[in-house]
């Protein structure tokens, strides 16, 4: 050995001495160098010197760590070191950009999905209402005809307001009207509201004023209050908005005030654009005004503020007395009709709908939490593997004097930093998702603009979630790093060690968790997809592929009474003149579209519960409607020239379900009905037609009846045509014909019936797609987890496998043996997943159509999918192991 | 941590025992101790520099050994010499007796290969 080489060894050793505490180095460093150099001199050949160096390194790691631990002067845990650790973690993450980007993307999806769902669920279900003293506010409901709490008749709300139990009673009802803005008419959400509304909520207009009692009387002036969000968004927070005029449904209304900040409407998170006074109900049409005097129509929701000292129970007693009195005074409307008082904390949106909303919210939350859990399990696994590959580094850090706690903290800081990065990107995703949310057609779940945003509550949730996430996936690797025996780690590091049995078990457990969670999500997707498929292929009772429609806007036409029929005839003539159109009709509603029902008494039929009347959906149609839609006539006749206006009787058609329910096997023709409260039986059944979906696809068959437009003057909205060709191709010609009408009838929507049905399935489709996306992600993660575990095991056993193959083991045998290692883990995960899925599936049974919650096809499909993914994930690394050259494998070990 | 760092704990850690044993006949410097241990253990125990000096440091602190002046023949001023203290001798005797009893037990159970 030359002198220069010896100098190299000595310099290296002196550098190594830095791992010792200063006092020890000062006391013994020189002699240790002497001893080391003596040994170097004796070591003959590079192999011996390499072994010497290895022993010295291990020795240094062990002893320096022991000395540092004992030494009160070494290694702190204060703020300075925290910043230092943060910088170190950031630098470290920057150095492995692929890992960091992957982890951040994973976390962004997981955390972003959770923040998005929390934002929706919070605003819909959790957030306290922005009212003063909400404990004094109650919701009051008149019973529906089914005997359940429902909306109230406006006259009844006035009776409630007269009660001493309440300091104030407000009645509200929602509507959608066309706002004639500069860009043409657009739909806006309004609420007709009594002047007492602000008193009930304990708030006041932030500009101008709220309605006064004089504006609770129809005809006393058209006034509106703009909501704060709409004032900001559509009026640019214009301070001079008060006094301006808005045209709603063609009527000029004066804006008298701006609503309080933070109040978005009665039905959060639906955003109300304008509040209209009772005096402005004419904006909704003449019937909206007539309705104010009708005890048969239940349109209003009631919020009330309890009088001082009155409890909810006392208010309930007062309402029981009122209900009894109304039952005596108006037996035809209110006999047996109760009135229920709910504390505002017990109602979110509506007592009848809250259950479904909470179930939906819980399902959504469970899905996104599962995805996050999966992401955490996967990251924990990755970090464990990375932690092992870094155990050498960590051991040296320990040796350099970092207390064990600090090494663990370094891991945690790194995972928290990752989590914060992921959460930050997740918040961006959330903002994007929330912006996209209102443009998604949500059917009857959300019927208007949503007021959703990232506020303080969401921010707190997000930060908390990031912290929990970071700890969740960082804790296991951190604890393992702290437990790692330094010398063991240094030895393992050289051999590419497995990190011991504990780490292997932990990784297996994480894989099992991933398999279980993925199975639940895959199964959920299967169930939702099968349910959606059943909905898409169900027979709605009409020729869905043959029909196009326009929605007519009559508000500018000025047509009423007899003139409506003239215009309808003109529309039908023009439509049927279009080449390709075989039949045309006009109808007040499309199938699978909830609107229009009336409280009806049926001769000879007593409903099982509640009052004498039933709430029946209806449509008014022109003669050709049933031929146009392909709805069969089952008995009797369709509408014809015999059905003339002005006579004493009104002809109606009922659907098969109505005929069966009301009259059983008896002949329904000639049976009679009347509107609730009517003196005589004016409506006579002349025919029975086939069932169609009334308010949504997949609902249980519902009774329904039809009026003829010959005997009803309200102009129906939907122009429908039948063709043998492509219905979409007719829409242009249909619009042109509408424009040529002798009166102005606008068109504010158009499409095909198939498209309309598709839109009504937007919610289940969205649910199935979202679930599908989440399960695909889950499968990918579970697959990666299995892949990692098998790869690791293969790498660890390279030598052993090499020996076995050298001894003549078949490659296929090697593959099987390696794959077998994860079989137990996968099977355990699948079993746990099946148990969870069976439990979870029963919870979502209500969301499914035409498929059982324990559907064997969906269950088998999910298991097969999981097994397939697991097999591929295990097979790829196993095959790599089997392909290895035995000699190479042995040499590598 | 579970393992005591007190060099006086019985059973003695192997480096501590070997260092005491090396110092029984004469005072030695660190390298000398390492050689002595090498010889006595027939190469089975090789004290790494860290282990050796950490043990020396702890043993001196615990009073089992002490530093002494270098003999006149020593030319390298960097070398520190160590001598065993009476306490060290006592502990060495105690541990050796314990090991002796252990060997006796093993012999009584025919667990020892008798040399031919």
């Amino acid at each position: 050995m030359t002198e220069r080489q010896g100098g190299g060894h000595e310099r290296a050793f002196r550098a190594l001495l830095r791992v010792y505490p200063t006092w020890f180095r000062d006391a013994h460093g020189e002699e240790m160098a002497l001893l080391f150099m003596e040994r170097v001199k004796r070591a003959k050949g590079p192999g011996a010197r390499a072994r010497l160096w290895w022993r010295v390194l291990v020795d240094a790691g062990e002893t320096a760590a022991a000395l540092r631990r004992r030494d009160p002067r070494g290694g702190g845990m204060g703020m300075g070191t925290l910043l230092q650790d943060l910088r170190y973690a950031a630098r470290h993450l920057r150095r492995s950009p692929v890992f960091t980007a992957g982890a951040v993307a994973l976390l962004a999806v997981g955390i972003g999905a959770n923040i998005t769902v929390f934002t929706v669920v919070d605003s819909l279900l959790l957030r306290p209402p922005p009212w003063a003293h909400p404990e004094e506010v109650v919701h009051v409901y008149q019973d529906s005809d089914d005997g359940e709490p429902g909306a109230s008749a406006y006259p009844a709300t006035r009776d409630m307001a007269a009660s001493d139990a309440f300091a104030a009673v407000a009645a509200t009802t929602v509507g959608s009207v066309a706002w004639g803005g500069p860009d043409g008419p657009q739909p806006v959400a309004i609420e007709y509201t009594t002047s007492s509304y602000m008193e009930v909520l304990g708030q006041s207009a932030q500009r101008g004023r709220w309605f006064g009692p004089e504006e609770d009387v129809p005809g006393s002036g058209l006034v509106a209050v703009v909501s704060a969000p709409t004032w900001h968004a559509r009026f640019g927070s214009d301070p001079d908005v008060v006094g301006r005029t808005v045209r709603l449904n063609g009527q000029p209304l004066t804006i008298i005030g701006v609503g309080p900040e933070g109040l978005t409407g009665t039905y959060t998170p639906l955003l109300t654009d304008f509040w209209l006074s009772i005096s402005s109900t004419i904006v909704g049409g003449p019937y909206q005004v007539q309705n104010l005097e009708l005890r048969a129509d239940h349109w209003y929701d009631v919020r009330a503020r309890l009088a001082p000292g009155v409890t909810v129970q006392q208010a309930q007693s007062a309402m029981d007395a009122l209900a009894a009195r109304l039952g005596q005074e108006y037996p035809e409307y209110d006999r047996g009709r109760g009135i229920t008082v709910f504390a505002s904390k017990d109602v979110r949106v509506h007592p009848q709908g809250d259950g479904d909303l909470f179930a939906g919210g819980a399902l959504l939350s469970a899905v996104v939490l599962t995805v996050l859990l999966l992401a955490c399990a996967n990251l924990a696994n990755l970090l464990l593997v990375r932690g092992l590959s870094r155990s050498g580094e960590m051991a040296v850090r320990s040796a350099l004097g970092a207390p064990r706690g600090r090494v663990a903290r370094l891991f945690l800081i790194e995972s928290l930093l990752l989590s914060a990065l992921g959460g930050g990107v997740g918040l961006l995703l959330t903002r994007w998702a929330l912006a996209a949310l209102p443009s998604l057609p949500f059917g009857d779940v959300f019927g208007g603009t949503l007021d959703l945003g990232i506020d303080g509550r969401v921010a707190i949730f997000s930060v908390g979630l990031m912290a929990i996430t970071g700890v969740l996936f960082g804790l296991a690797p951190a604890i393992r790093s702290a437990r790692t025996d330094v010398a063991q780690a240094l030895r393992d590091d050289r051999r590419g060690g497995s990190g011991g049995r504990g780490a292997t078990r932990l990784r297996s457990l994480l894989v099992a968790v991933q398999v279980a969670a993925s199975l639940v999500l895959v199964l959920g997707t299967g169930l939702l997809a099968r349910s959606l498929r059943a909905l898409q292929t169900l027979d709605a009772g009409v020729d869905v592929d043959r029909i196009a429609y326009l929605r007519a806007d009559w508000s500018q036409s000025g047509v009423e009474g007899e003139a409506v029929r003239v215009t309808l005839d003109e529309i039908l003539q023009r439509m049927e003149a279009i080449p390709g159109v075989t039949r045309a009709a006009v109808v007040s509603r499309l199938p699978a579209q909830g609107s229009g029902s009336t409280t009806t008494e049926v001769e000879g039929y007593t409903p099982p519960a509640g009052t004498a009347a039933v709430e029946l959906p209806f449509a008014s149609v022109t003669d050709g409607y049933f031929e146009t839609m392909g709805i069969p006539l089952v008995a009797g006749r369709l509408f014809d020239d015999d059905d003339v206006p002005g006579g004493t009787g009104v002809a109606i058609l009922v659907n098969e379900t109505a005929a069966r329910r009301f009259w059983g096997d008896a002949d329904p023709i000639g049976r009679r009905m009347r509107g609730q409260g009517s003196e005589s039986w004016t409506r006579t059944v002349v025919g029975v037609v086939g069932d169609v979906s009334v308010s949504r696809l997949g609902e249980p068959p519902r009774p329904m009846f039809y009026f003829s437009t010959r005997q009803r003057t309200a102009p129906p909205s939907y122009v429908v045509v039948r063709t043998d060709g492509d219905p979409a191709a007719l829409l242009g010609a249909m619009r042109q014909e509408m424009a040529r009408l002798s009166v102005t009838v606008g068109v504010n929507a158009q499409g095909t019936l198939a498209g309309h049905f598709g839109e009504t399935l937007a919610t289940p489709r969205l649910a199935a797609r979202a679930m599908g996306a989440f399960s695909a992600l889950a499968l990918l993660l579970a697959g990666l987890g299995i892949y990692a575990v098998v790869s690791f095991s293969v790498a660890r056993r390279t030598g052993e496998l090499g020996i076995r193959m050298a001894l003549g083991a078949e490659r296929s045998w090697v593959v099987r043996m390696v794959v077998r290692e994860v079989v137990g883990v996968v099977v355990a995960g699948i079993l746990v997943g099946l148990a969870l899925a069976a439990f979870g599936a029963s919870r979502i049974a209500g969301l499914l159509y035409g498929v059982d919650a324990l559907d064997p096809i969906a269950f088998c499909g999910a298991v097969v999918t999981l097994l397939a993914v697991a097999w591929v994930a295990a097979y790829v690394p196993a095959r790599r192991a089997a392909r290895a050259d035995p000699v190479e494998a042995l040499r590598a070990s | 941590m579970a393992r005591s760092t007190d060099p006086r704990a019985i059973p003695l850690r192997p480096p501590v025992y070997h260092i005491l044993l090396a110092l029984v006949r004469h005072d030695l410097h660190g390298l000398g101790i390492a050689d002595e241990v090498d010889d006595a253990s027939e190469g089975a125990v090789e004290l790494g520099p860290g282990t050796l000096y950490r043990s020396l440091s702890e043993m001196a602190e615990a009073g089992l050994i002490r530093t002494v002046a270098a003999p006149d023949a020593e030319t390298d001023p960097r070398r520190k010499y160590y001598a065993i203290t009476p306490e060290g001798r006592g502990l060495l005797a105690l541990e050796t007796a314990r090991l002796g009893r252990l060997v006796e037990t093993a012999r009584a159970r025919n667990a020892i290969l008798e040399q031919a």
Side-chain angles (χ1 to χ4, degrees):
Chain A
M1 187 176 65
T2 67
E3 199 52 43
R4 233 187 74 228
Q5 277 170 320
H9 284 287
E10 180 159 359
R11 268 200 307 279
F13 185 77
R14 285 183 185 278
L16 179 68
L17 283 177
R18 296 192 156 274
V19 305
Y20 293 100
T22 317
W23 63 267
F24 186 82
R25 199 162 63 226
D26 289 349
H28 305 291
E30 288 299 323
E31 284 185 281
M32 287 167 75
L34 274 179
L35 171 61
F36 176 71
M37 288 315 292
E38 191 59 37
R39 295 231 164 115
V40 169
K41 255 181 250 163
R42 286 182 213 161
K44 301 293 180 222
R49 278 197 294 275
R51 278 194 297 278
L52 170 67
W53 260 110
W54 179 249
R55 286 197 304 273
V56 164
L57 275 176
V58 172
D59 176 61
E62 270 174 349
T63 51
L67 285 164
R68 292 265 181 183
R69 259 201 305 283
R70 222 164 49 105
D71 190 353
R73 288 160 288 189
M77 298 280 269
M79 270 311 287
T81 58
L82 183 66
L83 277 177
Q84 207 183 331
D85 286 355
L86 251 176
R87 265 199 302 276
Y88 176 83
R91 211 165 42 229
H92 192 260
L93 290 178
R94 253 206 320 272
R95 271 210 306 267
S96 29
V98 175
F99 168 81
T100 305
V104 167
L106 207 56
L107 287 166
V109 172
I111 296 179
N114 274 276
I115 298 175
T116 308
V117 167
F118 176 80
T119 309
V120 175
V121 169
D122 181 55
S123 70
L124 200 59
L125 299 173
L126 305 177
R127 189 193 312 247
W131 311 332
H133 301 287
E135 71 283 358
E136 293 173 6
V137 177
V138 294
H139 299 220
V140 188
Y141 299 93
Q142 259 193 317
D143 283 354
S144 71
D145 298 320
D146 305 328
E148 301 288 348
S152 302
Y154 190 74
T157 70
R158 282 192 300 232
D159 299 330
M160 294 171 192
S163 167
D164 291 338
F166 303 122
V169 173
T172 62
T173 187
V174 293
S176 174
V177 299
W179 181 13
D183 313 326
Q186 46 185 318
V188 290
I190 59 159
E191 281 181 42
Y192 301 100
T193 314
T194 55
S195 61
S196 48
Y197 190 60
M198 283 296 111
E199 203 183 332
V200 169
L201 302 191
Q203 298 190 324
S204 56
Q206 60 170 303
R207 268 171 196 281
R209 64 175 179 90
W210 189 256
F211 312 128
E214 68 281 3
E215 279 144 351
D216 284 342
V217 185
S220 59
L222 300 179
V223 287
V225 171
V226 61
S227 73
T230 303
W231 179 52
H232 295 309
R234 303 220 192 176
F235 291 94
S237 309
D238 177 7
D240 296 327
V241 72
V242 174
R244 277 174 63 173
T245 301
V246 283
R247 291 193 86 84
L248 300 181
N249 276 2
Q251 307 267 1
L253 289 95
T254 307
I255 295 178
I256 59 167
V258 178
E261 210 63 49
L263 183 70
T264 56
T266 311
Y267 308 92
T268 51
L270 288 183
L271 178 67
T272 293
D273 294 302
F274 297 100
W275 285 282
L276 268 58
S277 65
I278 297 298
S279 63
S280 309
T281 41
I282 187 64
V283 169
Y287 196 74
Q288 188 90 37
V289 184
Q290 293 166 28
N291 165 270
L292 294 171
E293 299 304 327
L294 297 179
R295 287 191 182 268
D297 277 352
H298 292 231
W299 285 12
Y300 283 83
D301 286 316
V302 176
R303 307 277 184 278
R305 188 167 287 273
L306 294 169
V310 174
T311 65
V312 174
Q313 288 74 21
Q314 288 165 337
Q316 181 62 63
S317 306
M319 288 304 104
D320 287 344
L322 175 63
R325 203 188 83 212
L326 291 179
Q328 280 172 358
E329 287 178 25
Y330 311 99
E332 67 275 34
Y333 305 114
D334 292 330
R335 190 173 47 224
R337 193 186 292 280
I339 301 175
T340 317
V341 179
F342 286 88
S344 61
K345 67 175 166 49
D346 295 332
V347 179
R348 263 328 283 198
V349 178
H350 192 279
Q352 297 304 300
D354 282 1
D356 281 352
L357 280 179
F358 276 100
L363 173 69
L364 260 179
S365 308
V367 168
V368 290
L369 272 177
T370 307
V371 169
L372 184 59
L373 184 71
L374 268 167
C376 283
N378 218 279
L379 277 178
N381 207 340
L382 279 176
L383 285 179
L384 273 176
V385 173
R386 255 168 68 86
L388 291 174
S389 68
R390 288 170 68 192
S391 58
E393 173 206 333
M394 285 301 154
V396 169
R397 290 183 69 82
S398 283
L400 283 171
R404 278 170 184 236
R406 182 149 178 219
V407 173
R409 195 177 70 175
L410 200 55
F411 265 89
L412 260 186
I413 284 176
E414 205 176 298
S415 63
L416 283 172
L417 190 61
L418 271 177
S419 177
L421 286 172
V425 179
L427 270 171
L428 292 179
L429 287 180
T430 300
R431 282 190 53 176
W432 173 78
L434 291 179
L437 214 52
S439 65
L440 296 170
F442 273 101
D444 34 359
V445 182
F446 301 123
T449 315
L450 296 175
D451 176 54
L452 292 171
I454 295 167
D455 59 7
R457 288 168 62 89
V458 176
I460 290 170
F461 172 83
S462 309
V463 170
L465 189 70
M466 289 177 213
I468 292 171
T469 306
V471 171
L472 204 61
F473 72 79
L475 198 59
I479 289 174
R480 285 221 57 82
S481 80
R483 276 216 216 116
T484 304
D485 178 34
V486 172
Q488 177 72 34
L490 284 170
R491 279 183 216 122
D492 269 359
D493 200 26
R494 176 168 154 266
R495 287 205 302 261
S498 69
R501 298 184 63 79
T504 308
R505 265 203 304 276
L506 189 56
R507 283 202 303 275
S508 296
L509 179 72
L510 289 172
V511 166
V513 166
Q514 291 177 37
V515 169
S518 321
L519 182 78
V520 173
L521 292 182
V522 170
L523 177 79
T525 306
L527 287 175
L528 290 181
R530 280 174 59 73
S531 166
L532 179 65
R533 181 93 195 116
L535 283 170
Q536 281 167 338
T537 55
L538 71 79
D539 180 7
V542 295
D543 292 338
V544 60
D545 295 325
R546 293 275 150 268
I547 292 144
Y549 73 88
L550 298 178
R551 190 172 75 201
D553 171 15
W554 294 79
S555 61
Q556 309 297 311
S557 68
V559 192
E560 53 185 5
E562 211 43 43
V564 171
R565 265 185 290 279
V566 175
T567 308
L568 287 178
D569 283 342
E570 190 189 350
I571 292 175
L572 293 179
Q573 276 173 18
R574 287 188 175 276
M575 291 301 149
E576 292 188 343
I578 298 173
V581 171
T582 58
R583 198 71 209 260
V586 188
V587 60
S588 58
R589 69 195 291 167
L590 293 178
Q593 184 183 58
S595 72
S597 64
T598 177
T599 311
T600 307
E601 288 178 53
V602 180
E603 192 181 23
Y605 173 73
T606 311
T611 62
V614 288
E615 191 78 17
L616 272 187
F618 70 93
S620 58
V621 302
T622 58
D623 288 357
Y625 176 70
F626 301 98
E627 292 97 323
T628 306
M629 302 299 275
I631 301 171
L633 175 70
V634 178
R637 64 169 177 88
L638 295 176
F639 296 126
D640 60 26
D641 297 340
D642 293 346
D643 307 318
V644 289
T648 48
V650 174
I652 58 171
L653 295 167
V654 295
N655 67 0
E656 287 183 279
T657 299
R660 204 165 36 242
R661 180 164 310 169
F662 299 146
W663 303 294
D665 295 332
D667 184 7
I669 309 300
R671 299 283 183 159
R672 296 185 298 177
M673 296 187 191
R674 65 180 174 194
Q676 194 182 35
S678 171
E679 291 295 315
S680 55
W681 298 96
T682 48
R683 301 170 187 165
T684 306
V685 177
V686 298
V688 179
V689 293
D691 283 336
V692 300
S693 297
V694 175
S695 51
R696 60 183 173 85
L697 295 177
E699 70 190 352
R702 292 177 64 185
M704 178 178 175
F705 73 97
Y706 298 88
F707 288 115
S708 167
T709 51
R710 292 165 179 277
Q711 293 175 319
R712 199 177 169 86
T713 55
S717 300
Y718 289 90
V719 177
V720 290
V721 303
R722 179 187 185 84
T723 177
D724 292 331
D726 174 16
L730 297 173
L731 290 169
M734 290 169 71
R735 269 200 321 276
Q736 280 173 15
E737 292 301 324
M738 291 298 283
R740 289 184 192 136
L741 288 175
S742 48
V743 293
T744 310
V745 179
V747 172
N748 54 20
Q750 63 174 30
T752 63
L753 194 59
H756 162 68
F757 281 180
E759 279 167 30
T760 69
L761 294 180
T763 308
R765 188 164 43 233
L766 187 71
R769 281 191 189 155
M771 194 79 137
F774 284 135
S775 5
L777 184 67
L779 277 175
L780 181 71
L781 293 181
L784 282 176
I786 294 168
Y787 178 87
V789 163
V790 175
S791 298
F792 222 84
S793 145
V794 167
R796 199 184 62 214
R797 296 170 57 186
T798 310
E800 177 210 329
L801 295 176
I803 291 171
R804 287 178 184 278
M805 276 158 61
L807 292 175
E810 296 280 330
R811 284 175 198 280
S812 63
W813 182 87
V814 171
V815 171
R816 272 205 307 282
M817 196 174 75
V818 171
V819 170
R820 199 161 53 210
E821 277 202 9
V822 289
V823 166
V825 173
V826 170
V827 168
I830 285 180
L831 289 179
V832 172
L834 278 178
L836 284 176
F839 173 76
S842 62
R843 310 272 128 164
I844 66 164
L847 303 175
L848 301 178
Y849 168 79
V851 52
D852 190 60
L854 297 177
D855 180 54
I857 296 181
F859 268 78
C860 291
V863 171
V864 168
T865 308
L866 253 295
L867 284 176
V869 168
W871 166 251
V872 171
Y875 182 76
V876 172
R879 200 166 151 71
R880 205 170 44 223
R883 281 226 182 113
D885 178 2
V887 181
E888 275 302 311
L890 280 172
R891 194 173 294 146
S893 73
Chain B
M1 60 176 277
R3 196 168 60 171
S4 167
T5 56
D6 189 336
R8 288 166 297 188
I10 285 197
L12 293 181
R13 293 204 304 269
V16 174
Y17 185 80
H18 281 288
I19 290 168
L20 288 175
L21 201 56
L23 290 175
V24 165
R25 279 186 297 175
H26 36 245
D27 303 347
L28 285 170
H29 54 74
L31 180 59
I33 295 173
D35 286 344
E36 187 75 31
V37 170
D38 236 15
D39 290 348
S41 70
E42 296 166 351
V45 175
E46 189 198 82
L47 291 177
T51 306
L52 175 63
Y53 284 96
R54 172 197 167 198
S55 301
L56 288 174
S57 163
E58 286 174 359
M59 288 163 74
E61 207 175 308
L64 304 182
I65 55 173
R66 60 191 166 85
T67 50
V68 292
D72 297 341
E74 178 58 63
T75 51
D76 190 335
R78 291 177 297 182
R79 290 183 171 170
K80 236 183 278 166
Y81 276 73
Y82 297 90
I84 192 165
T85 62
E87 205 186 336
R89 273 183 203 279
L91 197 63
L92 178 65
L94 250 163
E95 178 70 349
T96 308
R98 188 184 71 83
L99 290 172
R101 283 195 301 278
L102 212 57
V103 173
E104 282 311 312
T105 309
R107 198 187 302 280
R109 296 180 186 174
N110 283 326
I112 293 184
L113 290 172
E114 296 298 339
Q115 306 226 327

